Amino acid sequence: ENNFFIYSVEWTPKSLVWYVNNVEVHRTNENIPHESLYFGINSFIPKSKNGTTGKLEIEWIRAFKVRE
């Protein structure tokens, strides 16, 4: 069983679009940042899930600028 996912964000001057395994899961055209940002990675288990432990493994992170 494959328990790995690919998370992506496409950031343009007009929108931010989030994907999981190349499927769009959220899009916004509001409050788009226009300054340089950095990666921040976080993992948590919500209290509503009654979880006590969790594990996050990151194999790689890649950022690139798309040529227009």
Side-chain angles (χ1 to χ4, degrees):
E1 179 180 336
N2 185 353
N3 292 322
F4 295 95
F5 298 92
I6 297 173
Y7 298 91
S8 308
V9 176
E10 182 179 273
W11 173 18
T12 70
K14 296 182 180 182
S15 67
L16 284 169
V17 185
W18 286 261
Y19 300 90
V20 177
N21 293 337
N22 295 320
V23 175
E24 184 177 323
V25 295
H26 184 74
R27 174 184 294 262
T28 186
N29 298 321
E30 299 177 5
N31 301 315
I32 307 303
H34 296 288
E35 65 275 350
S36 297
L37 301 177
Y38 60 90
F39 287 107
I41 308 299
N42 186 11
S43 176
F44 71 97
I45 300 173
K47 287 183 180 180
S48 63
K49 299 295 183 186
N50 297 321
T52 57
T53 62
K55 183 177 181 180
L56 172 67
E57 290 185 39
I58 299 172
E59 186 171 315
W60 51 266
I61 295 176
R62 177 174 59 175
F64 56 93
K65 184 175 182 177
V66 177
R67 293 183 186 163
E68 296 182 25

